Amino acid sequence: MQVLVIHKIKHTPEVIIDSEKNEFSIRGFSRPENVESFFEQIYIWISKKAEAVSRNPHNLKIIIDLEYFNSSSLIHLLQFLTRCVEIKGNESVGISWFYDNENDDSLEVCRDFAELLKVHIKKIRRINNVTV
C-alpha cells in the first residue's frame, strides 16, 4: 500500500500520505482525544515508507491546512515535519502552510517551524475561507 488515508472526523484532521507521489497533507481540525495514538499511526507508516520516500526522485510536497490545532497536536506536527525533513533533506521538502488572515498564532507557528527546521515554508493566506 502506497497511500495512508485517515478520514477526518469531529476532532481529527484528514491525513493523506502518498509515498509514490511524495505528497503528504493534513487538513481540518486537530484536537484528538488521544493525540499520541492518532499521530503514532502516522509515524509508523512513515517509518515503513521512509526508504521509498527517500529514493523517490520527486521533492516531498507537504500541505498543512489546519483550521485549528491544540498545543498537543502542535508538538506532534513539529515531530512529523522533522521526520519528513530527516528522510528527504531540507532542500527536497516543500511545505505549504495555509493560515487564516485573522489567525496570527498559526502564522507565527509557521515561521517558528521554518526556523527550527531550516526550510522554506510557503505561507498561503485565507480571508473568509478563500485562498488569496
Side-chain angles (χ1 to χ4, degrees), residues 51-75:
E51 187 175 334
V53 170
S54 176
R55 284 193 321 245
N56 191 314
H58 300 291
N59 286 350
L60 180 57
K61 177 183 174 185
I62 301 172
I63 297 171
I64 307 296
D65 188 1
L66 293 172
E67 296 173 52
Y68 173 83
F69 49 86
N70 61 17
S71 58
S72 297
S73 292
L74 178 69
I75 293 164

Side-chain angles (χ1 to χ4, degrees), residues 9 11 43 45 48 55 60-61 65 80:
I9 57 174
H11 299 293
Y43 299 150
W45 199 90
K48 289 179 181 177
R55 284 193 321 245
L60 180 57
K61 177 183 174 185
D65 188 1
F80 164 76

Side-chain angles (χ1 to χ4, degrees), residues 68-87:
Y68 173 83
F69 49 86
N70 61 17
S71 58
S72 297
S73 292
L74 178 69
I75 293 164
H76 285 278
L77 188 57
L78 179 58
Q79 288 179 333
F80 164 76
L81 293 173
T82 300
R83 289 182 186 200
C84 291
V85 169
E86 288 172 350
I87 290 168

